[in-house]
Amino acid sequence: MATAIKLWKVNATLGGMCIAFLCLCGCNDDVFIERSDLTRNMSVRLDGDGDRKGVPYSTEGLEYISIEHAEYCPNFVFDSGHNVLEETQGYSVCIDAGQECWVDVYGRAVTLTLDFQRKDYLDIYCNQNHSKAPFTAKVLFHYPSRERVIEVEITPGELYTVDYVTMDISEDPTVSFEERQQPTYTVNNDGDRDVKIFIRPYENVNCSVDIEIPDERSAMIDFSSAPDVDVLSASPDGMLTYTGRSVKFEPGTQTVPVFGWGLEAVPYIIPPHTKVQFTVTLQYVVVDYYMTFQCSLPSGDYFESKALMHVVDPLEYKISYEVIN
């Protein structure tokens, strides 16, 4: 019986401690109004195929909210009736604290929506991000003595694929010529007999093709599925010719072997006790022309654009020499 009474006393004491602890916890929210989940900085990552995330925040003491992004974008602020309250172009947009609205940020290949229509709750969502690069933005909650930052990243989603590429006949190709001198080559025959040498004017020389797509939407294209395109060159009289060579249709510079020329060699006889310096000058033909291409998504959405093909092709060579000794 005595043992039972002691156990009851212990349990009663523990119960009193728990009640006191709960009372303290209940008072804690009254003393500290801002909870950590409403005030801490955080990162939100959205799937590039369309995603939605929610973030709670506190309007207690909030002065205003700003949205910042690295890209120059159109920004639209809408009220709950779908009326446009503000339309700007730039890297940021601001809204008042407690304003019931949503903000659309139109990136190059994605739309980021920040919905503030629910009290103390930010709804973040996007459509599909048709880009190779993520889209990033920051939501800053400005309080009197601090800022809370929500970093938003939309990962890349589905990319466009290249349907076709054709030469743009509405733009006339341009043809020009230029000369480039190769490093000099010196031969010194110290012997008593003639020495036969071979000069290879086109050794390690390639045709270069640079494809420029000025439209920034090139970051939305999957070029791995793009077709090969013909390399257009020109003869010494400036007439356009098809060389039978092709390159992959993708931005950047590619090199193409110069058929047949890399094997040519010109023989020279160097007399005894003679030192000769050879200089090789290559003449290049430069051809610039535009290509029209179309890209599409499986959904049927598509766009057309232009690409500049810049071809620098070896055309002729000249070998000169000077007897030094």
Side-chain angles (χ1 to χ4, degrees):
M1 183 66 177
T3 304
I5 292 173
K6 288 180 181 178
L7 288 175
W8 178 84
K9 287 182 178 179
V10 171
N11 290 338
T13 303
L14 289 174
M17 292 175 64
C18 290
I19 292 172
F21 178 74
L22 289 173
C23 288
L24 288 174
C25 291
C27 296
N28 195 45
D29 275 343
D30 295 334
V31 176
F32 301 101
I33 296 175
E34 292 184 333
R35 304 198 311 269
S36 62
D37 63 329
L38 301 182
T39 60
R40 64 184 175 86
N41 296 341
M42 62 186 301
S43 298
V44 174
R45 188 172 184 177
L46 301 180
D47 189 332
D49 290 330
D51 200 0
R52 183 185 294 262
K53 297 285 175 64
V55 177
Y57 68 95
S58 175
T59 53
E60 185 71 26
L62 181 64
E63 295 179 333
Y64 67 96
I65 303 170
S66 62
I67 298 101
E68 300 179 356
H69 37 83
E71 297 181 15
Y72 188 90
C73 300
N75 304 286
F76 287 83
V77 181
F78 298 88
D79 64 13
S80 56
H82 297 262
N83 300 307
V84 178
L85 300 177
E86 184 179 357
E87 178 183 350
T88 63
Q89 299 264 349
Y91 297 95
S92 63
V93 62
C94 295
I95 62 172
D96 297 331
Q99 183 177 358
E100 294 184 3
C101 65
W102 84 83
V103 180
D104 278 345
V105 179
Y106 292 95
R108 177 184 58 245
V110 66
T111 300
L112 168 65
T113 298
L114 304 163
D115 193 339
F116 298 91
Q117 295 182 90
R118 294 171 60 183
K119 181 175 174 54
D120 290 353
Y121 190 84
L122 169 59
D123 198 13
I124 307 173
Y125 54 95
C126 65
N127 57 7
Q128 293 191 48
N129 182 16
H130 303 297
S131 176
K132 299 175 185 175
F135 182 87
T136 59
K138 290 182 179 180
V139 183
L140 295 90
F141 299 90
H142 299 268
Y143 297 93
S145 59
R146 63 178 179 84
E147 289 181 348
R148 184 193 180 194
V149 181
I150 309 297
E151 295 184 348
V152 180
E153 177 183 291
I154 305 173
T155 60
E158 188 177 42
L159 298 178
Y160 285 79
T161 56
V162 182
D163 299 329
Y164 67 79
V165 184
T166 60
M167 184 176 174
D168 189 350
I169 59 175
S170 66
E171 298 275 356
D172 292 331
T174 61
V175 179
S176 59
F177 300 91
E178 62 181 50
E179 288 187 349
R180 301 178 186 177
Q181 194 174 89
Q182 302 287 82
T184 56
Y185 177 63
T186 302
V187 178
N188 188 9
N189 183 7
D190 292 329
D192 297 327
R193 297 183 179 180
D194 292 344
V195 173
K196 187 175 184 180
I197 65 166
F198 294 88
I199 303 295
R200 297 181 179 273
Y202 284 101
E203 190 171 14
N204 299 324
V205 175
N206 292 316
C207 166
S208 67
V209 182
D210 186 25
I211 300 177
E212 300 177 9
I213 302 178
D215 193 333
E216 63 178 6
R217 288 182 299 181
S218 61
M220 302 163 55
I221 305 172
D222 178 11
F223 288 99
S224 64
S225 61
D228 291 346
V229 291
D230 292 329
V231 176
L232 202 62
S233 188
S235 57
D237 58 2
M239 295 296 293
L240 295 177
T241 59
Y242 285 95
T243 64
R245 294 168 287 175
S246 62
V247 293
K248 192 75 173 176
F249 181 73
E250 58 185 13
T253 302
Q254 304 173 60
T255 58
V256 185
V258 179
F259 295 150
W261 291 347
L263 302 177
E264 290 185 4
V266 181
Y268 286 89
I269 303 296
I270 309 298
H273 309 291
T274 302
K275 185 177 182 180
V276 180
Q277 180 176 282
F278 291 88
T279 301
V280 179
T281 302
L282 300 183
Q283 185 181 57
Y284 290 82
V285 57
V286 181
V287 181
D288 289 302
Y289 56 100
Y290 284 93
M291 310 290 287
T292 298
F293 64 93
Q294 176 180 292
C295 297
S296 67
L297 293 171
S299 62
D301 293 338
Y302 74 94
F303 69 86
E304 289 186 349
S305 189
K306 288 186 179 182
L308 174 65
M309 300 279 288
H310 179 72
V311 180
V312 181
D313 208 7
L315 185 64
E316 295 179 334
Y317 67 88
K318 179 177 64 177
I319 300 177
S320 60
Y321 62 89
E322 178 185 0
V323 178
I324 300 176
N325 182 23

